[in-house]
Amino acid sequence: MKQSTVNDCRIIDIRRYSDTRGYLSVVENGIDIPFEIKRIYYLYMVPEVARGAHAHKALQQLLIATSGSVEVIMDDGQNKKSFMLDRPWKGLLIPPGLWRDLENFSGGAVLMCLASEGYDEHDYIRDYNEFKAYKGL
Ligand code: T46
């Protein structure tokens, strides 16, 4: 998706069920997100540093701050858009072909990623100039 832009990213409300015992949220293949989940990973105990700084060529993702808050800055090479993930029922759907920086992790933040593919380092673009060239810019 070389043509994807930051406007293709969107925040979704994740289904949640509440009763006197608290909340339960669920993401289910084929119902809640537009891709099949093949991998789950999560970032935690992040000190005051930025992570990310890469793009994916094919990977689709749903990012959820299951605890605390994280700022995700999406970049299509021409425009940037910042998303604050600060509720466990808010998810950021990210199409392929976009650069992302992860910043301002709050203390105790846990950022979970539901991913459409297995891990493949060849899917990463970790150099910003290479990313711009990939986008034809
Ligand atoms: C993303 C953001 C939100 C693996 O061996 N398997 C995996 O599935 C993943 C995701 C990572 N790794 C290894 C590769 C590196 O040696 O874990 C190490 C740290 O990965 P990375 O530097 O890519 O971490 P982040 O926080 O910059 O990015 C990660 C994901 O890689 C990326 O897909 O979108 O979280």
Side-chain angles (χ1 to χ4, degrees), residues 25-79:
S25 275
V26 60
V27 179
E28 199 169 344
N29 271 338
I31 298 177
D32 300 290
I33 52 173
F35 59 84
E36 189 177 337
I37 301 159
K38 294 211 180 124
R39 180 170 50 122
I40 297 171
Y41 53 89
Y42 43 98
L43 311 176
Y44 52 96
M45 293 173 70
V46 178
E48 286 183 15
V49 294
R51 298 192 64 123
H54 60 254
H56 284 285
K57 295 177 194 162
L59 194 71
Q60 300 178 67
Q61 297 163 293
L62 179 70
L63 298 185
I64 306 164
T66 56
S67 179
S69 60
V70 182
E71 184 181 7
V72 183
I73 299 148
M74 300 304 305
D75 180 344
D76 57 25
Q78 291 182 299
N79 293 297

Side-chain angles (χ1 to χ4, degrees), residues 39-43 46 50-56 59 61 63 72 94 100 102 105 111-113 115 117-121 123-124 126:
R39 180 170 50 122
I40 297 171
Y41 53 89
Y42 43 98
L43 311 176
V46 178
R51 298 192 64 123
H54 60 254
H56 284 285
L59 194 71
Q61 297 163 293
L63 298 185
V72 183
I94 304 178
R100 86 286 321 273
L102 311 173
F105 282 77
L111 183 67
M112 183 167 72
C113 178
E117 308 295 336
Y119 177 65
D120 177 6
E121 187 57 36
D123 189 61
Y124 286 74
R126 294 188 184 269

